[in-house]
Amino acid sequence: MANHSLVLDNNTSVSTVTVAEQPLVIGQEFPDVETCRRTMKDIAIAMHFDLRIVKSDRSRFIAKCSKEGCPWRVHVAKCPGVPTFTVRTLHGEHTCEGVQNLHHQQASVGWVARSVEARIRDNPQYKPREILQDIRDQHGIAVSYMQAWRGKERSMAALHGTFEEGYRLLPAYCEQIRKTNPGSIASVVATGQENYFQRLFISYRASIYGFINACRPLLELDRAHLKGKYLGTLLCAAAVDADDALFPLAIAVVDAESDENWMWFMSELRKLLGVNTDNMPRLTILSERQRGLVEAVETHFPTASHGFCLRYVSENFRDTFKNTKLVNIFWNAVYALTAAEFESKITEMMEISQDVISWFQQFPPYLWAVAYFDSVRYGHFTLGVTELLYNWALECHELPVVQMMEHIRQQMVSWFNDRQDMGMTWTSILVPSAEKRIMEAIADAHCYQVLRANEVEFEIVSTERTNIVDIRSRECSCRRWQLYGLPCAHAAAALISCGHNAHMFAEPCFTVQSYRMTYSQMINPIPDKSQWRDQGEGAEGGGGARVDIIIRPPKTRRPPGRPKKKVLRVENFKRPKRVVQCGRCHMLGHSQKKCTMPI
């Protein structure tokens, strides 16, 4: 057979077989017997014959073709005085037909692991079904799904360590974070006499500094369930920077989502912010308002306003009523800036269905409607942190906990570097997203008539209504200035009429200076784990004492079978497009500035 050919060079007394660009010659050396075994297995697979090992010990390796009567045989022996092995005898000709089917005895889990290691290093999301196909395409053999799955698992363990090692290294990892990033918070909590993992909390000093000194007082809270070997839940508190990008403040891993773990997470968050929360404006917290989380926020942040994520609320509304027209009116009610506007939308909804009244009892408007929410959401209605957590869980569910946290840290480092560089290129007063909204307000301001009452108060007259603007208190009777932190069109008209720059009246959190301050601190690198101590100092035991402990995996284990995949629709994270209503003709689809209807 062509693929079993062996070329013998009698003139040089060297026997050679070329297999997958890896020659086997008499005199060829291997650093150890294990390397020799692997090479022979690769040759057998590439040449499509079954290998039978006759002898394999510390001093020799002898193997032959498993087909009776086939002369192929190799003898490898240890070299005297050195650890290497060398090929002593090689009968390289096959007379058998070799393996005639796709299944090969030498294609073990270990061989699969070695075959895919390079690919998995570049792409941890390499799927078992992709492994099956690639092995068939490249080697012409078939392996089972379970072989591919176990091969990937073994390769992941070789590259990143085992899940068990990940928990054991947590105390040392936390110690390294505190050492390399002074001022950061990193702690691990174990429970029970066996020190089973329970909780991990990490917040970098760079994030703490950026949030307290430059970000708007707004936090998004959410969780994502992990699907690794020991399950668990990933918790995150994230702020929003001046240009509306997500800014992770604190990340935690807990053994399970529970009221107790939410209470602990919010307690750690309160310690992190410390007395600084007393100096900050009133904090706004947005979440899906899970039962345990609501109680935890009320306990540790009693003065904060805790609002609903509108994605969660709107999905519930849509699933309850299944009426597109009703859903559109609902979103108009969400965006309504005043109580009068909101009540008019409620009346419209009640004309379609009286059941909305009972639904409002379940989801009180003061927790989600702009008109009644008692704090500032800065135009944020859905949770960007949900998509972030979902992506992290998807990317890292096959990594040990330490590797998962390193993946997250490296992504944050990349964000800090990129955004720091981007911030230095801006020459405007405000960040681009705020600059765009201010320019839109200035463009719309030309449609209004301005009447000045005194030095700070103005009447802004339009065909629809009259609004009162106070530039000293930075308020407009339409409430948009107060609720979004940027001058509305009415405010822009007042400011322009008295020669002020509208850009200077935006909240400080929207300035380029604040953006640069947000990313002014850097997250420092963590040394390789080979430089850590196995047992870290300062890990918290079940009773909160600082002890040297070995963390064991949590008791929870992933059930057998393939995990169910939650399909998370990306469109759920996009803020619904607001329907513009003209102030002149009151028709939908265009603004007063672009109105062409005769009045």
Side-chain angles (χ1 to χ4, degrees):
M1 294 180 62
N3 61 349
H4 285 64
S5 63
L6 183 70
V7 179
L8 299 178
D9 187 346
N10 295 325
N11 295 329
T12 59
S13 300
V14 175
S15 303
T16 306
V17 59
T18 302
V19 179
E21 300 181 357
Q22 184 177 11
L24 182 64
V25 299
I26 290 178
Q28 181 175 339
E29 293 187 351
F30 304 96
D32 49 53
V33 72
E34 184 60 34
T35 304
C36 174
R37 290 193 195 104
R38 292 176 178 176
T39 303
M40 298 305 166
K41 186 174 290 190
D42 291 341
I43 290 172
I45 290 172
M47 294 182 65
H48 297 278
F49 73 91
D50 275 332
L51 188 72
R52 185 166 73 85
I53 298 176
V54 179
K55 293 282 185 182
S56 180
D57 52 35
R58 294 181 179 180
S59 61
R60 59 186 170 171
F61 176 86
I62 303 172
K64 58 183 288 187
C65 177
S66 64
K67 296 289 185 178
E68 193 68 34
C70 183
W72 193 94
R73 183 183 180 90
V74 65
H75 178 200
V76 184
K78 187 178 184 299
C79 300
V82 291
T84 57
F85 284 69
T86 186
V87 177
R88 296 286 178 85
T89 305
L90 176 63
H91 298 285
E93 184 177 355
H94 280 279
T95 58
C96 66
E97 294 183 348
V99 178
Q100 297 299 300
N101 55 53
L102 291 174
H103 298 280
H104 201 291
Q105 180 181 343
Q106 304 303 322
S108 62
V109 170
W111 178 83
V112 172
R114 293 195 306 275
S115 299
V116 301
E117 185 171 327
R119 180 79 179 268
I120 287 176
R121 183 183 290 109
D122 298 331
N123 177 25
Q125 302 305 310
Y126 194 27
K127 294 180 173 57
R129 66 172 179 268
E130 296 173 332
I131 294 174
L132 292 176
Q133 188 61 49
D134 287 350
I135 286 178
R136 184 160 184 164
D137 293 343
Q138 295 171 14
H139 302 282
I141 61 175
V143 296
S144 69
Y145 183 90
M146 188 53 67
Q147 278 180 297
W149 190 87
R150 287 177 175 161
K152 178 183 177 180
E153 187 178 50
R154 188 175 295 185
S155 183
M156 291 286 288
L159 289 169
H160 305 292
T162 63
F163 281 90
E164 293 76 12
E165 182 189 28
Y167 289 106
R168 181 175 60 82
L169 288 173
L170 277 178
Y173 180 64
C174 290
E175 182 184 23
Q176 290 298 319
I177 290 175
R178 296 190 298 268
K179 183 183 295 184
T180 57
N181 290 267
S184 299
I185 298 173
S187 62
V188 58
V189 180
T191 184
Q193 294 183 346
E194 298 297 319
N195 292 325
Y196 294 112
F197 170 82
Q198 187 179 20
R199 300 160 179 158
L200 170 70
F201 184 93
I202 294 176
S203 182
Y204 295 97
R205 178 185 177 276
S207 296
I208 300 171
Y209 178 89
F211 175 70
I212 291 174
N213 292 285
C215 288
R216 65 197 80 173
L218 175 74
L219 281 179
E220 297 182 3
L221 303 176
D222 207 355
R223 82 284 189 234
H225 298 294
L226 302 172
K227 299 185 183 298
K229 184 176 181 180
Y230 293 100
L231 301 178
T233 303
L234 188 65
L235 310 179
C236 184
V240 182
D241 67 22
D243 203 37
D244 286 331
L246 213 60
F247 184 78
L249 174 61
I251 301 118
V253 179
V254 294
D255 54 357
E257 185 185 10
S258 64
D259 295 355
E260 181 185 0
N261 280 335
W262 272 122
M263 188 67 74
W264 164 82
F265 182 71
M266 297 309 297
S267 172
E268 294 298 303
L269 205 57
R270 174 66 188 182
K271 293 177 191 174
L272 174 156
L273 296 176
V275 296
N276 293 290
T277 51
D278 299 329
N279 302 324
M280 291 169 58
R282 187 178 183 186
L283 188 64
T284 299
I285 294 176
L286 302 179
S287 75
E288 291 185 359
R289 288 184 62 90
Q290 303 93 315
R291 185 188 62 186
L293 180 54
V294 170
E295 184 179 350
V297 170
E298 290 176 350
T299 300
H300 295 289
F301 294 91
T303 62
S305 294
H306 188 185
F308 264 120
C309 163
L310 263 295
R311 179 182 64 87
Y312 172 75
V313 175
S314 64
E315 284 181 355
N316 186 285
F317 187 89
R318 181 196 62 204
D319 295 341
T320 301
F321 297 102
K322 297 179 174 62
N323 184 309
T324 303
K325 183 177 180 181
L326 205 55
V327 171
N328 288 336
I329 300 173
F330 167 80
W331 276 106
N332 286 332
V334 168
Y335 293 130
L337 298 177
T338 64
E341 293 176 41
F342 181 86
E343 295 300 331
S344 69
K345 299 303 177 185
I346 298 302
T347 302
E348 289 182 44
M349 285 192 279
M350 289 175 61
E351 290 174 357
I352 298 174
S353 173
Q354 289 289 325
D355 293 336
V356 295
I357 299 300
S358 58
W359 187 88
F360 285 148
Q361 293 173 352
Q362 183 183 357
F363 295 93
Y366 73 89
L367 295 175
W368 50 268
V370 174
Y372 289 111
F373 190 64
D374 62 350
S375 188
V376 181
R377 298 175 72 123
Y378 295 97
H380 283 261
F381 295 95
T382 58
L383 298 177
V385 70
T386 302
E387 186 176 8
L388 176 65
L389 284 172
Y390 178 79
N391 289 335
W392 279 346
L394 200 63
E395 295 163 0
C396 304
H397 78 276
E398 293 181 282
L399 296 177
V401 62
V402 165
Q403 294 293 335
M404 177 174 69
M405 300 312 292
E406 271 297 276
H407 174 86
I408 293 172
R409 184 191 65 81
Q410 289 164 6
Q411 192 172 81
M412 290 177 62
V413 168
S414 176
W415 289 343
F416 269 66
N417 288 333
D418 293 346
R419 294 172 187 177
Q420 189 180 66
D421 292 343
M422 184 167 58
M424 297 307 295
T425 65
W426 294 336
T427 57
S428 56
I429 298 172
L430 305 180
V431 297
S433 60
E435 187 81 17
K436 180 182 177 182
R437 285 179 290 204
I438 286 283
M439 295 309 294
E440 289 172 352
I442 291 173
D444 290 341
H446 297 299
C447 299
Y448 302 123
Q449 178 184 5
V450 180
L451 302 176
R452 185 166 189 169
N454 52 51
E455 289 186 358
V456 296
E457 289 186 317
F458 299 80
E459 284 185 69
I460 310 300
V461 182
S462 68
T463 56
E464 181 184 12
R465 58 180 293 180
T466 299
N467 287 281
I468 307 300
V469 172
D470 187 327
I471 62 173
R472 177 184 293 167
S473 60
R474 302 193 177 192
E475 294 180 351
C476 177
S477 58
C478 80
R479 299 185 68 233
R480 182 174 294 276
W481 196 358
Q482 302 92 292
L483 294 174
Y484 289 83
L486 294 166
C488 59
H490 311 118
L495 292 166
I496 293 170
S497 71
C498 57
H500 287 301
N501 184 348
H503 295 76
M504 302 300 293
F505 285 79
E507 290 292 322
C509 61
F510 293 104
T511 62
V512 171
Q513 182 181 359
S514 289
Y515 186 89
R516 292 173 179 169
M517 185 179 292
T518 302
Y519 298 101
S520 61
Q521 307 294 308
M522 298 307 298
I523 300 176
N524 298 322
I526 306 294
D528 184 76
K529 65 182 179 181
S530 61
Q531 302 178 37
W532 307 350
R533 290 186 293 172
D534 279 351
Q535 290 176 279
E537 297 177 358
E540 293 186 6
R546 299 171 67 84
V547 293
D548 289 339
I549 59 174
I550 295 178
I551 305 290
R552 289 177 171 80
K555 293 182 179 180
T556 53
R557 288 288 297 270
R558 182 176 57 200
R562 184 177 296 182
K564 292 182 180 179
K565 181 180 289 187
K566 178 184 177 184
V567 178
L568 201 64
R569 291 173 293 185
V570 175
E571 59 266 24
N572 286 338
F573 299 110
K574 296 179 180 177
R575 174 176 170 178
K577 189 173 182 179
R578 186 180 181 188
V579 179
V580 179
Q581 184 176 24
C582 178
R584 294 178 67 240
C585 66
H586 306 294
M587 297 293 289
L588 300 179
H590 64 271
S591 65
Q592 180 175 322
K593 177 186 174 184
K594 298 178 181 179
C595 183
T596 58
M597 295 290 290
I599 299 298

PDB file of all heavy atoms in Angstrom, residues 386-399:
ATOM      1  N   THR A 386     -25.911  42.857  31.882  1.00  0.00           N
ATOM      2  CA  THR A 386     -26.458  41.519  31.625  1.00  0.00           C
ATOM      3  C   THR A 386     -25.757  40.869  30.446  1.00  0.00           C
ATOM      4  O   THR A 386     -25.329  39.710  30.514  1.00  0.00           O
ATOM      5  CB  THR A 386     -27.974  41.615  31.358  1.00  0.00           C
ATOM      6  OG1 THR A 386     -28.613  42.223  32.476  1.00  0.00           O
ATOM      7  CG2 THR A 386     -28.573  40.238  31.110  1.00  0.00           C
ATOM      8  N   GLU A 387     -25.632  41.609  29.362  1.00  0.00           N
ATOM      9  CA  GLU A 387     -24.954  41.071  28.179  1.00  0.00           C
ATOM     10  C   GLU A 387     -23.481  40.796  28.475  1.00  0.00           C
ATOM     11  O   GLU A 387     -22.923  39.781  28.028  1.00  0.00           O
ATOM     12  CB  GLU A 387     -25.085  42.043  27.013  1.00  0.00           C
ATOM     13  CG  GLU A 387     -24.524  41.493  25.710  1.00  0.00           C
ATOM     14  CD  GLU A 387     -24.738  42.429  24.540  1.00  0.00           C
ATOM     15  OE1 GLU A 387     -25.184  43.580  24.761  1.00  0.00           O
ATOM     16  OE2 GLU A 387     -24.455  42.015  23.408  1.00  0.00           O
ATOM     17  N   LEU A 388     -22.838  41.681  29.229  1.00  0.00           N
ATOM     18  CA  LEU A 388     -21.435  41.490  29.587  1.00  0.00           C
ATOM     19  C   LEU A 388     -21.248  40.196  30.369  1.00  0.00           C
ATOM     20  O   LEU A 388     -20.367  39.380  30.069  1.00  0.00           O
ATOM     21  CB  LEU A 388     -20.937  42.677  30.409  1.00  0.00           C
ATOM     22  CG  LEU A 388     -19.499  42.579  30.939  1.00  0.00           C
ATOM     23  CD1 LEU A 388     -18.502  42.578  29.786  1.00  0.00           C
ATOM     24  CD2 LEU A 388     -19.198  43.707  31.907  1.00  0.00           C
ATOM     25  N   LEU A 389     -22.094  39.964  31.389  1.00  0.00           N
ATOM     26  CA  LEU A 389     -21.989  38.757  32.204  1.00  0.00           C
ATOM     27  C   LEU A 389     -22.275  37.507  31.381  1.00  0.00           C
ATOM     28  O   LEU A 389     -21.627  36.470  31.557  1.00  0.00           O
ATOM     29  CB  LEU A 389     -22.963  38.842  33.385  1.00  0.00           C
ATOM     30  CG  LEU A 389     -22.540  39.768  34.533  1.00  0.00           C
ATOM     31  CD1 LEU A 389     -23.677  39.914  35.534  1.00  0.00           C
ATOM     32  CD2 LEU A 389     -21.304  39.223  35.235  1.00  0.00           C
ATOM     33  N   TYR A 390     -23.258  37.596  30.508  1.00  0.00           N
ATOM     34  CA  TYR A 390     -23.588  36.449  29.662  1.00  0.00           C
ATOM     35  C   TYR A 390     -22.380  36.085  28.792  1.00  0.00           C
ATOM     36  O   TYR A 390     -22.043  34.896  28.642  1.00  0.00           O
ATOM     37  CB  TYR A 390     -24.796  36.792  28.791  1.00  0.00           C
ATOM     38  CG  TYR A 390     -25.185  35.691  27.835  1.00  0.00           C
ATOM     39  CD1 TYR A 390     -25.910  34.583  28.264  1.00  0.00           C
ATOM     40  CD2 TYR A 390     -24.825  35.759  26.485  1.00  0.00           C
ATOM     41  CE1 TYR A 390     -26.263  33.577  27.387  1.00  0.00           C
ATOM     42  CE2 TYR A 390     -25.176  34.758  25.601  1.00  0.00           C
ATOM     43  CZ  TYR A 390     -25.900  33.664  26.054  1.00  0.00           C
ATOM     44  OH  TYR A 390     -26.246  32.665  25.183  1.00  0.00           O
ATOM     45  N   ASN A 391     -21.706  37.073  28.226  1.00  0.00           N
ATOM     46  CA  ASN A 391     -20.533  36.807  27.387  1.00  0.00           C
ATOM     47  C   ASN A 391     -19.397  36.214  28.213  1.00  0.00           C
ATOM     48  O   ASN A 391     -18.715  35.286  27.769  1.00  0.00           O
ATOM     49  CB  ASN A 391     -20.077  38.089  26.698  1.00  0.00           C
ATOM     50  CG  ASN A 391     -21.037  38.523  25.612  1.00  0.00           C
ATOM     51  OD1 ASN A 391     -21.758  37.712  25.055  1.00  0.00           O
ATOM     52  ND2 ASN A 391     -21.062  39.817  25.313  1.00  0.00           N
ATOM     53  N   TRP A 392     -19.161  36.762  29.399  1.00  0.00           N
ATOM     54  CA  TRP A 392     -18.120  36.208  30.270  1.00  0.00           C
ATOM     55  C   TRP A 392     -18.413  34.756  30.611  1.00  0.00           C
ATOM     56  O   TRP A 392     -17.521  33.908  30.575  1.00  0.00           O
ATOM     57  CB  TRP A 392     -18.009  37.046  31.543  1.00  0.00           C
ATOM     58  CG  TRP A 392     -17.196  38.291  31.366  1.00  0.00           C
ATOM     59  CD1 TRP A 392     -16.364  38.595  30.332  1.00  0.00           C
ATOM     60  CD2 TRP A 392     -17.129  39.404  32.260  1.00  0.00           C
ATOM     61  NE1 TRP A 392     -15.786  39.839  30.530  1.00  0.00           N
ATOM     62  CE2 TRP A 392     -16.226  40.356  31.703  1.00  0.00           C
ATOM     63  CE3 TRP A 392     -17.741  39.699  33.486  1.00  0.00           C
ATOM     64  CZ2 TRP A 392     -15.937  41.560  32.326  1.00  0.00           C
ATOM     65  CZ3 TRP A 392     -17.445  40.907  34.101  1.00  0.00           C
ATOM     66  CH2 TRP A 392     -16.557  41.821  33.536  1.00  0.00           C
ATOM     67  N   ALA A 393     -19.658  34.468  30.989  1.00  0.00           N
ATOM     68  CA  ALA A 393     -20.032  33.101  31.346  1.00  0.00           C
ATOM     69  C   ALA A 393     -19.853  32.163  30.154  1.00  0.00           C
ATOM     70  O   ALA A 393     -19.414  31.017  30.310  1.00  0.00           O
ATOM     71  CB  ALA A 393     -21.478  33.063  31.850  1.00  0.00           C
ATOM     72  N   LEU A 394     -20.161  32.649  28.959  1.00  0.00           N
ATOM     73  CA  LEU A 394     -20.037  31.837  27.749  1.00  0.00           C
ATOM     74  C   LEU A 394     -18.571  31.583  27.408  1.00  0.00           C
ATOM     75  O   LEU A 394     -18.190  30.479  27.031  1.00  0.00           O
ATOM     76  CB  LEU A 394     -20.726  32.565  26.590  1.00  0.00           C
ATOM     77  CG  LEU A 394     -21.140  31.724  25.376  1.00  0.00           C
ATOM     78  CD1 LEU A 394     -22.171  30.680  25.773  1.00  0.00           C
ATOM     79  CD2 LEU A 394     -21.694  32.623  24.284  1.00  0.00           C
ATOM     80  N   GLU A 395     -17.741  32.609  27.564  1.00  0.00           N
ATOM     81  CA  GLU A 395     -16.327  32.497  27.210  1.00  0.00           C
ATOM     82  C   GLU A 395     -15.528  31.698  28.229  1.00  0.00           C
ATOM     83  O   GLU A 395     -14.525  31.079  27.878  1.00  0.00           O
ATOM     84  CB  GLU A 395     -15.713  33.891  27.077  1.00  0.00           C
ATOM     85  CG  GLU A 395     -16.270  34.724  25.941  1.00  0.00           C
ATOM     86  CD  GLU A 395     -15.955  36.202  26.076  1.00  0.00           C
ATOM     87  OE1 GLU A 395     -15.296  36.586  27.075  1.00  0.00           O
ATOM     88  OE2 GLU A 395     -16.369  36.980  25.200  1.00  0.00           O
ATOM     89  N   CYS A 396     -15.962  31.711  29.490  1.00  0.00           N
ATOM     90  CA  CYS A 396     -15.118  31.189  30.575  1.00  0.00           C
ATOM     91  C   CYS A 396     -15.666  29.961  31.282  1.00  0.00           C
ATOM     92  O   CYS A 396     -15.066  29.509  32.254  1.00  0.00           O
ATOM     93  CB  CYS A 396     -14.900  32.279  31.630  1.00  0.00           C
ATOM     94  SG  CYS A 396     -14.207  33.805  31.000  1.00  0.00           S
ATOM     95  N   HIS A 397     -16.811  29.414  30.833  1.00  0.00           N
ATOM     96  CA  HIS A 397     -17.424  28.364  31.644  1.00  0.00           C
ATOM     97  C   HIS A 397     -16.589  27.088  31.701  1.00  0.00           C
ATOM     98  O   HIS A 397     -16.772  26.261  32.576  1.00  0.00           O
ATOM     99  CB  HIS A 397     -18.844  28.059  31.127  1.00  0.00           C
ATOM    100  CG  HIS A 397     -18.875  27.217  29.894  1.00  0.00           C
ATOM    101  ND1 HIS A 397     -18.741  27.753  28.636  1.00  0.00           N
ATOM    102  CD2 HIS A 397     -19.032  25.889  29.713  1.00  0.00           C
ATOM    103  CE1 HIS A 397     -18.815  26.782  27.747  1.00  0.00           C
ATOM    104  NE2 HIS A 397     -18.998  25.637  28.374  1.00  0.00           N
ATOM    105  N   GLU A 398     -15.623  26.934  30.768  1.00  0.00           N
ATOM    106  CA  GLU A 398     -14.771  25.747  30.795  1.00  0.00           C
ATOM    107  C   GLU A 398     -13.416  26.018  31.450  1.00  0.00           C
ATOM    108  O   GLU A 398     -12.555  25.151  31.469  1.00  0.00           O
ATOM    109  CB  GLU A 398     -14.563  25.245  29.372  1.00  0.00           C
ATOM    110  CG  GLU A 398     -15.844  24.713  28.731  1.00  0.00           C
ATOM    111  CD  GLU A 398     -15.616  24.202  27.328  1.00  0.00           C
ATOM    112  OE1 GLU A 398     -15.510  25.031  26.410  1.00  0.00           O
ATOM    113  OE2 GLU A 398     -15.539  22.983  27.166  1.00  0.00           O
ATOM    114  N   LEU A 399     -13.235  27.219  31.991  1.00  0.00           N
ATOM    115  CA  LEU A 399     -11.967  27.574  32.631  1.00  0.00           C
ATOM    116  C   LEU A 399     -12.069  27.440  34.147  1.00  0.00           C
ATOM    117  O   LEU A 399     -13.128  27.698  34.724  1.00  0.00           O
ATOM    118  CB  LEU A 399     -11.581  29.015  32.286  1.00  0.00           C
ATOM    119  CG  LEU A 399     -11.291  29.332  30.826  1.00  0.00           C
ATOM    120  CD1 LEU A 399     -11.006  30.816  30.662  1.00  0.00           C
ATOM    121  CD2 LEU A 399     -10.114  28.512  30.321  1.00  0.00           C
TER     122      LEU A 399
END
